[in-house]
Amino acid sequence: MITVPGERLDNSSPLNLAMLTLATCQLGLILLARPLVERWLRRARPWRAVVAMNAVVLTVFLCHLSAVVILVGLLNLAHWLPSAGEAGRCGSRLYKPLAWAAGVIVAPAACTTASRHHHARPSTYRHVL
């Protein structure tokens, strides 16, 4: 379902039967999994984990792109940005892709932690299932 540059056919623009089929299959899988997930979330520990993640998910969503843009700038200044072919290859210069991968995880986590005073307290939510 990924667009390939230079190919004549494109599955996503305009939308076609392949996109409709994919969406239908994904919705069907979600509906099949719903009873299992609801039963699992009736337990206290998984429910608390979901509530805790929901307390920070909007912050992560809003700051992850800014954090990654800052990271790209810093890695570019340090000449540590991996080239297109280097990211998937192990070799003598493995530190560049590893720095990139670690930064993509650490930068949004740091941004989220720095703004933790804006998060809702998970203990204020009640179990509603």
Side-chain angles (χ1 to χ4, degrees):
M1 298 316 304
I2 298 173
T3 301
V4 178
E7 287 292 321
R8 189 178 67 78
L9 295 175
D10 183 6
N11 286 326
S12 59
S13 180
L15 297 177
N16 63 15
L17 187 59
M19 293 294 281
L20 178 63
T21 304
L22 176 67
T24 304
C25 289
Q26 289 174 338
L27 287 172
L29 289 173
I30 290 168
L31 291 174
L32 284 173
R34 183 177 177 174
L36 296 171
V37 173
E38 284 179 347
R39 197 170 358 152
W40 181 65
L41 286 176
R42 285 190 186 106
R43 297 173 37 213
R45 184 174 284 169
W47 181 253
R48 279 192 301 250
V50 168
V51 170
M53 288 301 296
N54 280 340
V56 298
V57 73
L58 185 60
T59 305
V60 172
F61 173 72
L62 292 174
C63 78
H64 83 279
L65 193 56
S66 301
V68 170
V69 166
I70 291 169
L71 171 70
V72 167
L74 292 174
L75 288 176
N76 190 33
L77 287 174
H79 302 289
W80 276 24
L81 262 178
S83 65
E86 189 177 29
R89 178 180 49 167
C90 292
S92 61
R93 299 190 307 185
L94 186 61
Y95 64 90
K96 289 181 183 181
L98 289 179
W100 171 252
V104 168
I105 294 168
V106 171
C111 180
T112 302
T113 303
S115 60
R116 69 178 175 266
H117 60 280
H118 294 294
H119 302 165
R121 293 182 51 130
S123 61
T124 60
Y125 294 105
R126 301 173 81 190
H127 196 267
V128 294
L129 283 179

